Amino acid sequence: MSEKRTEISELGEFGLIDQLAKGALIKNPSTLKGIGDDGAVLDAGDQVTVVSTDLLLEGVHFDLAYTPLPHLGFKAVAVNVSDIAAMNAIPTQITVSLALSNRFSVEAVQALYEGIYAACEQYGVDLVGGDTTASRSGLVISVTAMGQAKKEQLSYRSGAKENDILCVTGDLGAALVGLQILEREKQVYLSNPDMKPELEKYTVVTGRQLRPDARMDIIHELRELGVVPSSMIDISDGLASEIFHLCKASGVGATIYEDKLPIDKQTFDTAVELNLDPITCVLNGGEDYELLFTIDQKDFTKLEKHPDVHFIGHITKAEEGKFLVTKSGTAVQIKAQGWKHF
Ligand code: ADP
Ligand code: MG
């Protein structure tokens, strides 16, 4: 070991992963895709198996002061299902690993599993295993999800081509705005425990933060419409950051239009109330778990009337860069701020 010490924050999460991934030499021909997409792809005969894993830590990813345990269980599954969806695959199994501190009772763990089983029901997946251990530092939940697809149905981050149309599902920014509200109300409560948090007005945004839904509905609809996205990624770190991932993996640029970006009215109004710029929330808010994907122009008419798919821009040559065209017509360079924990 050399004496040199590099802070993780110097590389950032993605820089660190890139660095570590250099050592991952693929030895098995069945490993069709390793590190670098929403899920790994493994050859499984007629079909491929897609695998994705995520880790949720108390104090980093969730705060039990305002997170109901059933919601947390649901979210832990949904965020993994979202990665399977982002490969255009169908989730089939999950494993769940827990590290529990002695603060947790059997009833509390059961409440967590209520949500895990609700998600298993909703997404049609089977819980097939996991691991349970003690924790000295709060609750840790790790979920691994597996899914299936035919090879030709997969959508990688790397498939976007010049002139493809950039699409996003649902609306963006709600989860970040919801988090700000939950944090605000927590502070109000801590300074005066007699005050009842005022949350009724904010159920859309807080609901999105606490219990996000993976867009499997869209994946099934795309199949029915006969559309295979040329590339896809789920929006876990913010639209801008995901555009960077997609463009980097595909070797392309992108132009998006501010007036096409989908934002819910409650998200917009609440952002304004919090003195946040709604467009910044849309671009950099994490944890929306919507899908960002590209389609070939020939598929546009198949999706044109879809109420929950928004056409936000198009793919350009790499050297044209990544730009947001504002409502006034100015092109500004997109910065990938993302939602970084380091
Ligand atoms: P996502 O947000 O879709 O879950 P991430 O940004 O977490 O994706 O990860 C990007 C890629 O890096 C994925 O292929 C993931 O499996 C891989 N990855 C993340 N952390 C590690 C690690 N510590 N070791 C090896 N691969 C990793
Ligand atoms: Mg992902």
Side-chain angles (χ1 to χ4, degrees):
M1 278 295 266
S2 73
E3 297 283 304
K4 186 166 187 286
R5 181 192 155 87
T6 312
E7 298 303 326
I8 291 175
S9 55
E10 273 178 49
L11 287 179
E13 176 186 345
F14 302 129
L16 178 66
I17 295 172
D18 284 349
Q19 179 92 269
L20 299 175
K22 288 182 189 145
L25 305 175
I26 303 297
K27 293 170 284 297
N28 294 290
S30 56
T31 307
L32 300 181
K33 174 79 196 179
I35 297 171
D37 216 304
D38 293 292
V41 179
L42 317 179
D43 199 349
D46 287 350
Q47 301 231 320
V48 295
T49 297
V50 176
V51 186
S52 177
T53 194
D54 265 304
L55 191 58
L56 297 180
L57 262 85
E58 182 178 350
V60 177
H61 299 96
F62 58 89
D63 184 336
L64 289 175
Y66 51 71
T67 307
L69 287 167
H71 285 12
L72 181 60
F74 188 97
K75 179 171 178 175
V77 178
V79 302
N80 278 280
V81 167
S82 178
D83 277 323
I84 302 293
M87 300 301 292
N88 202 27
I90 307 293
T92 47
Q93 288 88 13
I94 57 163
T95 62
V96 175
S97 299
L98 297 178
L100 299 162
S101 66
N102 56 12
R103 212 155 44 87
F104 276 79
S105 62
V106 172
E107 289 74 19
V109 184
Q110 282 169 339
L112 184 72
Y113 268 71
E114 241 178 71
I116 290 176
Y117 283 126
C120 286
E121 180 68 29
Q122 175 155 335
Y123 301 119
V125 300
D126 303 328
L127 172 63
V128 295
D131 196 17
T132 306
T133 171
S135 164
R136 308 256 173 278
S137 56
L139 175 63
V140 181
I141 310 171
S142 173
V143 175
T144 298
M146 281 139 286
Q148 286 185 337
K150 295 206 178 84
K151 234 187 229 174
E152 61 274 17
Q153 275 166 335
L154 289 171
S155 295
Y156 291 102
R157 293 180 181 179
S158 55
K161 300 176 306 297
E162 193 185 350
N163 297 325
D164 280 358
I165 301 169
L166 260 173
C167 313
V168 289
T169 61
D171 57 84
L172 300 175
L176 169 66
V177 170
L179 180 63
Q180 306 305 314
I181 289 293
L182 290 163
E183 288 287 341
R184 184 183 76 181
E185 296 303 312
K186 179 187 170 185
Q187 295 312 322
V188 170
Y189 177 79
L190 288 177
S191 57
N192 183 359
D194 294 331
M195 289 269 288
K196 203 179 157 321
E198 272 187 59
L199 290 169
E200 293 78 25
K201 229 177 96 182
Y202 305 108
T203 49
V204 171
V205 292
T206 55
R208 196 75 66 78
Q209 169 58 224
L210 295 172
R211 196 182 187 277
D213 197 5
R215 298 309 305 263
M216 280 312 301
D217 56 332
I218 299 285
I219 299 304
H220 290 293
E221 284 163 11
L222 288 173
R223 279 173 194 231
E224 281 158 27
L225 294 165
V227 176
V228 177
S230 49
S231 70
M232 184 149 56
I233 185 168
D234 69 327
I235 304 181
S236 52
D237 295 317
L239 178 65
S241 172
E242 312 305 355
I243 286 177
F244 267 73
H245 285 314
L246 209 83
C247 287
K248 187 177 174 201
S250 297
V252 296
T255 299
I256 61 172
Y257 297 86
E258 183 183 357
D259 62 348
K260 306 281 185 212
L261 298 178
I263 181 163
D264 174 83
K265 183 168 187 323
Q266 187 179 100
T267 306
F268 187 96
D269 292 347
T270 312
V272 170
E273 182 191 324
L274 292 165
N275 286 321
L276 297 170
D277 171 29
I279 291 302
T280 305
C281 295
V282 166
L283 288 173
N284 299 320
E287 298 199 289
D288 282 314
Y289 298 104
E290 296 291 346
L291 295 169
L292 170 69
F293 60 94
T294 54
I295 56 167
D296 190 287
Q297 293 203 6
K298 74 172 166 37
D299 284 330
F300 176 67
T301 49
K302 297 183 195 160
L303 280 178
E304 194 180 10
K305 299 221 163 59
H306 196 294
D308 221 15
V309 172
H310 309 281
F311 308 99
I312 62 165
H314 59 270
I315 297 295
T316 60
K317 289 194 176 70
E319 54 270 28
E320 288 178 50
K322 293 170 275 289
F323 283 95
L324 168 76
V325 178
T326 65
K327 284 179 184 157
S328 59
T330 324
V332 289
Q333 208 151 10
I334 301 172
K335 293 192 195 74
Q337 284 175 342
W339 197 238
K340 306 235 167 63
H341 295 297
F342 292 111

